[in-house]
Amino acid sequence: SSGINAEWPLRPGLIDGDIKVTQSVAIARYLARKFGLVPGELERDIVRCEMAEQEILDFHKAFAALCYRPKEDFEENKPSYHANLDLKLAAFDKFVGEGPFIMGDKLTYVDFMVYEYMSQVRKLSPDNVAKVGNVVRLMENFEKLPTLKKFFDSGEHQKEQFINAPYAYFNGKN
């Protein structure tokens, strides 16, 4: 498919009236502005969210780099991935703080990103994620949000789904 946006014919994409957005983070930021999930107007708050956003993308990049390796490379590189993951998670956990969210009581789009990517990492490395109390608490607080709690309580989120492409060695179903 040629995509939804002539400038960037990529997927994923979102069409909202006359607005056409591609790229995951651009979509997240657009929806955040639309639904009031931005950090506010203070530069330090915006920067804090942007730093968390980029750190989450770094987690995702390292995760994907491991998951898309052939089985032999995956198994060989998994121990070093876990060692690096522990270091990065510890630093991120300190950054997250006691929350309940990245911006304290204010829910932002970055909390959605944290939940999404940490859920993926947790499928591969549950023991590593369990060690970081602030991140775990953020995820638990996210699951308790009234609208999301209904979704999580329904069991809908437990449907088998790929977290990477089916051809990835680790795709979330194995």
Side-chain angles (χ1 to χ4, degrees), residues 20-170:
K20 296 178 180 178
V21 188
T22 57
Q23 296 290 4
S24 299
V25 175
I27 293 168
R29 287 179 178 180
Y30 170 76
L31 292 172
R33 289 188 301 275
K34 182 173 180 169
F35 293 106
L37 295 170
V38 292
E41 294 183 18
L42 293 176
E43 192 64 26
R44 73 169 182 264
D45 294 343
I46 295 167
V47 168
R48 179 171 172 76
C49 276
E50 289 173 346
M51 290 187 323
E53 170 193 293
Q54 294 305 304
E55 193 62 32
I56 285 299
L57 293 176
D58 287 348
F59 276 110
H60 180 65
K61 196 180 310 180
F63 179 74
L66 176 68
C67 294
Y68 282 89
R69 293 176 180 267
K71 180 180 181 179
E72 304 76 34
D73 290 348
F74 175 88
E75 296 300 340
E76 181 181 324
N77 287 283
K78 193 174 173 184
S80 66
Y81 169 81
H82 280 131
N84 289 331
L85 178 63
D86 281 338
L87 293 172
K88 295 221 16 125
L89 280 171
F92 190 65
D93 194 61
K94 185 175 179 181
F95 178 84
V96 167
E98 294 185 17
F101 302 108
I102 294 287
M103 294 304 303
D105 291 330
K106 170 91 172 126
L107 179 69
T108 67
Y109 75 100
V110 176
D111 299 302
F112 285 81
M113 293 176 72
V114 170
Y115 188 85
E116 177 186 0
Y117 290 120
M118 286 298 143
S119 294
Q120 293 174 11
V121 170
R122 186 169 52 185
K123 283 190 174 209
L124 176 66
S125 311
D127 295 339
N128 302 71
V129 174
K131 294 178 196 174
V132 287
N134 293 331
V135 172
V136 170
R137 188 172 32 259
L138 182 150
M139 294 175 75
E140 290 169 348
N141 290 330
F142 188 84
E143 290 173 353
K144 291 176 188 172
L145 293 166
T147 302
L148 295 173
K149 185 173 181 349
K150 285 185 209 173
F151 170 72
F152 289 116
D153 287 349
S154 75
E156 190 69 20
H157 74 289
Q158 295 176 338
K159 284 187 175 177
E160 284 193 42
Q161 51 188 291
F162 291 108
I163 58 175
N164 288 312
Y167 56 82
Y169 176 70
F170 182 82

Side-chain angles (χ1 to χ4, degrees), residues 1-23 26-28 30-31 34-35:
S1 166
S2 64
I4 64 165
N5 190 322
E7 292 89 355
W8 294 99
L10 303 171
R11 301 282 185 199
L14 170 73
I15 299 174
D16 184 23
D18 62 344
I19 303 292
K20 296 178 180 178
V21 188
T22 57
Q23 296 290 4
I27 293 168
Y30 170 76
L31 292 172
K34 182 173 180 169
F35 293 106

